[in-house]
Amino acid sequence: MKLNKLSKSALYVAMPTVAAVPMAATSCSSAPKQGEKPNVIFILMDDAGYGDFGCYGQTKTETPNIDALANNGIRFTDMYTAAPVSSPSRACLITGQHMGNSQIRENVEGNVEDGIWNFDTVDNNPAIEGQMGLKPGTPTLGTVMQQAGYATGMVGKWGIGSPVGGSAPWDMGFDFYYGCVCQRVAHNYYPAYMWKNGQKEYINDPATVTHPGTKLDAGADPYNPASYDKYSEGKTYAPDKMYENVVEFINQSKKSNKPFFLMWTTPFPHSPLQAPKEWVEKYVAKYGDEEPLLDTKCQINGWPHNYYPCRYPHATYSAMISYFDHQVGMLIEELKRLGVYENTIIMFSSDNGPANNASSPTVWMDSAAPYRCGKGWGKRTLKEGGIRMPFIASWPAKIKSGVVSDHLGNFADVMPTVCEIAGVESPKTDGISLLPILSGNPEAQKEHKYLYWEYPAAGGMIAVREGQWKGLIMDVHKGNRTMKLFDVSVPGKDIEFDDKDVAADHPEIVERMWSYIEESHHLAEYEPFNVDISR
């Protein structure tokens, strides 16, 4: 397969500021015309926690533009991802399924050949790039919005298919795509290339390094920031190219006079820790000196893996989030300049809870607050820190400012929501449209009877949320079928400790939740995804 190289284009570099981009409407802003379909933007961060943003309580990292988005719209407090890791979360989001029905239920590499973690090897062989993909022909957010007459685009990480084989973004309903098709390639913010509409655009020659885990040069001083320059100096930062292509897609859609649907699936703040130097320095000034991160060994889906060392891990994590926050602010200003801000729906969330590997200082950041994170509590678990997500919705033409909603929902709701917005029939999903809330009519909003999760990794887990109650079963693969029951109506770091388990006091609730499990679980075609729910 011949792959064409695309030429480089001008690179946007944001200024190192954490002040909010002004939110006042410009002279180009205009109210929507009668019957005009709204534009829809879904912003998905990667491994960002419920507590990583100021509007959800973060006090260290500054996120003024995301906070302003929440203050000008709706901040949801009881919204959940569909899965505690990336690939199944994205698969559920894009198809409207929960984990009992999803085609993809865990991160699985599309190919297990030697060399899949070497960037040079992957560059030379696209057949080993990417993760297990959705079946060709699967209805997605992209395909339904195409049917509704929208220009459809995605910029960022894909993670649910390969560049070849019929499961790439350009095969699954997106007219425009720019980013990392493969999650492994996204584990480098200075990669050799990005994919653009089925072709490679080379942005760094060579990439930062050919394999994550390269150590500092022999004899290099670990306390000297210059010892880390080989991971970034003189290179093109992939998030800058992504933002550039976000703007390109929106402007091209504006010229075509078509409403647009955009998914901006940034890799921020997933490891490795890499951010523009001036933004890191801003947080070094705020936090002071800290110990460098040198040992980044971890396991990813059973594969031994290292990320890059980092001189200032706390400052860099905050810098990554603040840098993206600034890009969100620039996006809003661009929408205003084009006169489409008022009638653009922006939804914002994260794919799963904060990571707990050596490269993610999420415990220090309190990234899942008011819930726990760290090993056994955040990403890769069905505890609140792993699946309770920040979720913000803004629609200036419809939504009043400063709304806080405790509506219980999850990623499966996005498909029926965008279908109703676009006026097209939704495929069968496990979700409920959020349009009544988004259009300022919460009294008409339908409610979920319950939410359901299963996860085949980490020993096997099952969870159910009904009203104030959450049932949780751990170690399913070890034969455990004992459900713990927690009252999660009052958030706190201790809500899922064993001494809070009230299952013995409410056997009728436990039994009812088991009926929900039996109702929701369906066998996956890929046998390793299956969780045994027999009692």
Side-chain angles (χ1 to χ4, degrees):
M1 177 183 180
K2 183 174 176 59
L3 301 172
N4 299 317
K5 294 185 179 182
L6 302 181
S7 61
K8 295 181 181 180
S9 52
L11 181 64
Y12 178 85
V13 180
M15 296 302 293
T17 175
V18 292
V21 173
M23 298 293 288
T26 69
S27 59
C28 294
S29 295
S30 60
K33 298 175 183 178
Q34 184 69 28
E36 184 179 12
K37 289 184 177 182
N39 306 303
V40 182
I41 300 175
F42 194 98
I43 301 174
L44 186 70
M45 295 192 73
D46 194 347
D47 287 5
Y50 187 89
D52 266 328
F53 309 95
C55 54
Y56 283 93
Q58 177 61 229
T59 59
K60 296 173 181 173
T61 303
E62 298 170 30
T63 56
N65 294 295
I66 294 169
D67 298 346
L69 195 67
N71 292 336
N72 288 320
I74 303 174
R75 179 173 63 86
F76 289 85
T77 61
D78 282 57
M79 288 291 286
Y80 289 86
T81 181
V85 292
S86 187
S87 286
S89 172
R90 292 159 199 268
C92 292
L93 170 63
I94 209 168
T95 63
Q97 307 297 319
H98 62 47
M99 282 283 275
N101 288 320
S102 181
Q103 295 177 29
I104 300 172
R105 307 187 189 188
E106 166 61 330
N107 287 339
V108 174
E109 303 305 332
N111 192 301
V112 292
E113 291 184 18
D114 289 342
I116 65 170
W117 286 99
N118 186 291
F119 295 141
D120 285 345
T121 303
V122 171
D123 186 7
N124 292 323
N125 185 3
I128 66 171
E129 182 175 348
Q131 287 64 49
M132 176 182 286
L134 295 170
K135 294 178 183 177
T138 299
T140 69
L141 290 172
T143 61
V144 299
M145 295 302 268
Q146 281 180 331
Q147 293 165 14
Y150 278 67
T152 60
M154 177 182 284
V155 175
K157 173 176 158 181
W158 177 242
I160 46 176
S162 168
V164 296
S167 59
W170 47 87
D171 300 314
M172 305 299 290
F174 293 94
D175 304 320
F176 179 90
Y177 175 76
Y178 185 90
C180 300
V181 173
C182 178
Q183 293 184 165
R184 299 187 309 274
V185 176
H187 294 174
N188 180 5
Y189 287 85
Y190 299 90
Y193 62 89
M194 297 277 100
W195 285 93
K196 186 169 186 174
N197 297 334
Q199 298 177 323
K200 285 184 178 179
E201 178 181 276
Y202 284 82
I203 63 173
N204 284 305
D205 187 19
T208 301
V209 292
T210 61
H211 182 68
T214 300
K215 297 181 180 180
L216 294 184
D217 293 337
D221 179 2
Y223 292 94
N224 183 353
S227 299
Y228 302 79
D229 282 350
K230 69 176 183 177
Y231 300 115
S232 61
E233 197 68 15
K235 302 294 183 181
T236 299
Y237 197 45
D240 287 332
K241 297 293 292 181
M242 291 178 186
Y243 178 77
E244 176 187 315
N245 280 272
V246 164
V247 173
E248 176 184 334
F249 170 74
I250 292 173
N251 276 268
Q252 289 299 320
S253 300
K254 172 71 172 178
K255 291 177 182 177
S256 71
N257 292 317
K258 294 178 71 173
F260 65 81
F261 172 68
L262 170 67
M263 296 188 73
W264 186 7
T265 56
T266 178
F268 283 130
H270 193 293
S271 300
L273 294 169
Q274 294 175 306
K277 184 177 295 186
E278 61 270 28
W279 286 76
V280 175
E281 289 172 349
K282 188 171 190 73
Y283 277 100
V284 171
K286 180 176 181 177
Y287 298 158
D289 197 12
E290 54 180 298
E291 286 297 307
L293 173 67
L294 300 176
D295 183 3
T296 64
K297 294 178 181 178
C298 62
Q299 290 277 328
I300 300 180
N301 303 333
W303 293 80
H305 185 69
N306 282 6
Y307 288 115
Y308 305 120
C310 179
R311 174 61 187 89
Y312 300 106
H314 298 159
T316 304
Y317 185 84
S318 288
M320 292 166 75
I321 293 178
S322 282
Y323 192 76
F324 184 66
D325 175 84
H326 189 74
Q327 290 184 321
V328 170
M330 291 191 299
L331 168 66
I332 293 169
E333 283 302 294
E334 182 68 9
L335 296 173
K336 291 177 180 179
R337 186 187 71 81
L338 293 172
V340 299
Y341 173 66
E342 292 293 320
N343 201 32
T344 297
I345 300 169
I346 302 175
M347 289 180 271
F348 172 93
S349 193
S350 176
D351 63 347
N352 49 249
N356 50 54
N357 61 57
S359 289
S360 299
T362 54
V363 174
W364 187 85
M365 299 302 305
D366 215 5
S367 291
Y371 310 102
R372 291 178 66 89
C373 62
K375 188 174 179 59
W377 290 95
K379 180 180 179 179
R380 300 187 68 80
T381 79
L382 295 182
K383 294 178 181 178
E384 293 295 282
I387 57 175
R388 182 84 72 105
M389 290 293 101
F391 198 96
I392 296 165
S394 168
W395 188 4
K398 296 282 187 179
I399 297 175
K400 295 179 180 179
S401 298
V403 177
V404 179
S405 173
D406 62 357
H407 173 76
L408 180 62
N410 72 357
F411 277 5
D413 297 333
V414 176
M415 172 69 88
T417 301
V418 300
C419 285
E420 189 172 5
I421 289 167
V424 65
E425 184 178 355
S426 173
K428 184 180 179 181
T429 74
D430 298 310
I432 293 174
S433 173
L434 300 172
L435 186 56
I437 291 179
L438 299 187
S439 57
N441 189 22
E443 297 80 9
Q445 179 63 53
K446 295 180 180 179
E447 302 288 339
H448 284 279
K449 185 177 181 180
Y450 63 89
L451 299 179
Y452 175 77
W453 299 265
E454 60 182 65
Y455 182 50
M461 305 177 192
I462 299 171
V464 179
R465 170 86 193 263
E466 181 193 38
Q468 73 192 79
W469 302 109
K470 180 178 177 183
L472 181 63
I473 307 172
M474 307 286 287
D475 296 322
V476 175
H477 296 329
K478 296 180 181 179
N480 180 52
R481 297 295 184 272
T482 300
M483 179 183 292
K484 296 177 181 179
L485 185 67
F486 305 103
D487 181 351
V488 295
S489 61
V490 180
K493 291 188 175 182
D494 63 343
I495 59 173
E496 290 171 294
F497 278 90
D498 285 349
D499 64 356
K500 299 288 186 176
D501 175 17
V502 294
D505 300 327
H506 300 281
E508 74 289 353
I509 297 177
V510 171
E511 188 60 31
R512 188 165 66 243
M513 288 190 169
W514 267 107
S515 72
Y516 299 153
I517 294 170
E518 292 161 354
E519 180 180 274
S520 301
H521 170 78
H522 298 92
L523 290 177
E525 290 188 18
Y526 182 62
E527 196 280 330
F529 285 161
N530 287 314
V531 174
D532 184 0
I533 67 165
S534 61
R535 287 195 274 174

